[in-house]
Amino acid sequence: MVYDLLRYHLGWVDERGNPAADALTSLHHCGVLAMASADAVSGAHGEAVTAAAAVELAYNFVLVHNDVQAGRIDQDNDRPSIWWVWGPSQAINAGDGLHALARSVLMRMCDAGVAAETVLAGLHALDQACLTLCEGQYMDLTYQDQLMVSEADYMDMIGRKSGALAGCSARLGALAAGAQSSTADALEQWGRKLGMARQVQEDISDLWGRSGDGFTPANILNKKKSLPLIHALQNSDTASKRELGSIYMKRVLEPGDTPRIVAILEEAGSLEYASRKMDQLLQDARAALAGDDVVLQHPESLDWAAQWVVGRDAN
């Protein structure tokens, strides 16, 4: 059944449908943002559990489809991706199922006493976020065929691809907690900026992560554009730009290519630039909450969530 594929992706069962040894599902940043927003608004996060479950399912739908598009073999938990086990067609089907479940779960907010008009507004927000995310994914895939991409285009792309669902998550948590529209609007902007900051952090990790050995093979072959690469292509000397372009456009990399990519980016100061950009996005997230019409009982919950999402103090 298709539900076995969904359970497998969520980590509940193995490839044969048997219960997994460790069936706990890791909470992603979207669920955290929803519950943190609710806690900040009302002092309790339990009322946002349904909203958090919905955005988690929506985020997992994105993960399944991304695995197919990027040809990623393993999930974050080092288990084979759905498409690798059952094929791309079934993976797309499973991703669509997760999206439908996300909408269905969100409508259960009515069972918790949330007003029907609030649930409808939340459903509209989720649908709009998913559509905006698809716009960003379209841009990301289009940029893979372009060597030169401007920073403005990149920021617009990640605002859609990485910021839309994160912002929606924060908004849904606020709505579940009974926030006024001005507070929900501010929290949506806060979440959107955090989602963008998280994407920049992932760009950095692709280059200077655990092993520090350069782009992942999938990102090289997919011609993925990241902020450090864009910065280097715009700010390196002519010779370095040419070398970087020639390496990046290869179909098959040689052993010395990825260290050289990292070296060129380091010479251009691209790591420091990307880190500063992430810090600026975190400051923008805090600034979104500064309005007099933003009413929060426990704003410290947002500080904790921001640090959890990006691994850095947002103050």
Side-chain angles (χ1 to χ4, degrees):
M1 294 181 62
V2 66
Y3 298 106
D4 286 333
L5 275 66
L6 307 190
R7 297 185 188 101
Y8 171 82
H9 174 77
L10 294 171
W12 300 348
V13 300
D14 63 19
E15 297 173 27
R16 298 181 179 179
N18 299 317
D22 183 4
L24 293 177
T25 301
S26 299
L27 191 65
H28 296 99
H29 66 285
C30 289
V32 169
L33 293 176
M35 291 195 288
S37 292
D39 193 66
V41 169
S42 67
H45 63 267
E47 51 204 355
V49 168
T50 301
V55 295
E56 281 289 308
L57 288 167
Y59 183 66
N60 275 280
F61 126 72
V62 175
L63 293 180
V64 171
H65 283 191
N66 281 351
D67 284 348
V68 176
Q69 291 169 334
R72 191 178 299 110
I73 296 175
D74 293 329
Q75 298 175 324
D76 290 339
N77 57 10
D78 294 327
R79 299 201 312 166
S81 299
I82 288 180
W83 79 267
W84 184 253
V85 180
W86 287 280
S89 297
Q90 288 290 20
I92 293 171
N93 189 40
D96 292 346
L98 286 166
H99 178 257
L101 280 174
R103 301 183 83 254
S104 178
V105 167
L106 188 62
M107 287 188 282
R108 295 181 188 176
M109 290 172 62
C110 288
D111 298 337
V114 178
E117 58 267 26
T118 300
V119 176
L120 183 60
L123 190 60
H124 177 266
L126 181 62
D127 285 344
Q128 185 60 55
C130 288
L131 179 59
T132 302
L133 187 154
C134 290
E135 295 171 357
Q137 186 70 352
Y138 171 85
M139 296 165 71
D140 193 20
L141 294 172
T142 299
Y143 294 161
Q144 291 175 10
D145 296 326
Q146 304 175 20
L147 181 59
M148 297 301 295
V149 175
S150 71
E151 182 178 322
D153 286 340
Y154 167 87
M155 297 303 294
D156 184 23
M157 181 268 291
I158 68 168
R160 298 167 190 264
K161 177 184 174 181
S162 304
L165 190 57
C168 175
S169 301
R171 183 179 191 85
L172 291 179
L175 291 176
Q180 297 297 314
S181 60
S182 57
T183 299
D185 290 345
L187 284 167
E188 181 175 6
Q189 288 304 309
W190 169 79
R192 179 176 179 273
K193 294 296 183 180
L194 284 183
M196 295 173 68
R198 182 182 176 87
Q199 181 60 62
V200 174
Q201 181 194 50
E202 290 180 359
D203 286 354
I204 294 172
S205 295
D206 279 343
L207 284 158
W208 296 278
R210 296 177 183 176
S211 56
D213 57 358
F215 282 107
T216 62
N219 286 343
I220 280 286
L221 293 176
N222 290 330
K223 308 297 187 294
K224 182 177 176 64
K225 300 302 182 294
S226 67
L227 182 59
L229 176 68
I230 291 171
H231 176 265
L233 286 170
Q234 292 179 341
N235 295 279
S236 297
D237 58 61
T238 302
S240 294
K241 288 180 182 178
R242 288 175 178 171
E243 182 180 4
L244 187 58
S246 64
I247 293 174
Y248 193 75
M249 296 306 292
K250 288 182 179 180
R251 287 290 300 171
V252 179
L253 298 182
E254 299 173 10
D257 284 341
T258 50
R260 184 56 188 149
I261 291 175
V262 174
I264 293 173
L265 268 61
E266 289 180 344
E267 291 168 4
S270 299
L271 171 60
E272 293 78 8
Y273 182 82
S275 295
R276 290 196 301 271
K277 180 63 69 172
M278 183 169 70
D279 286 337
Q280 182 60 58
L281 287 167
L282 293 175
Q283 293 175 21
D284 292 345
R286 289 291 302 169
L289 305 173
D292 293 336
D293 54 353
V294 179
V295 181
L296 301 172
Q297 291 191 30
H298 296 279
E300 63 273 11
S301 297
L302 303 181
D303 296 332
W304 173 87
Q307 188 170 4
W308 189 92
V309 167
V310 299
R312 181 178 296 190
D313 191 349
N315 291 317

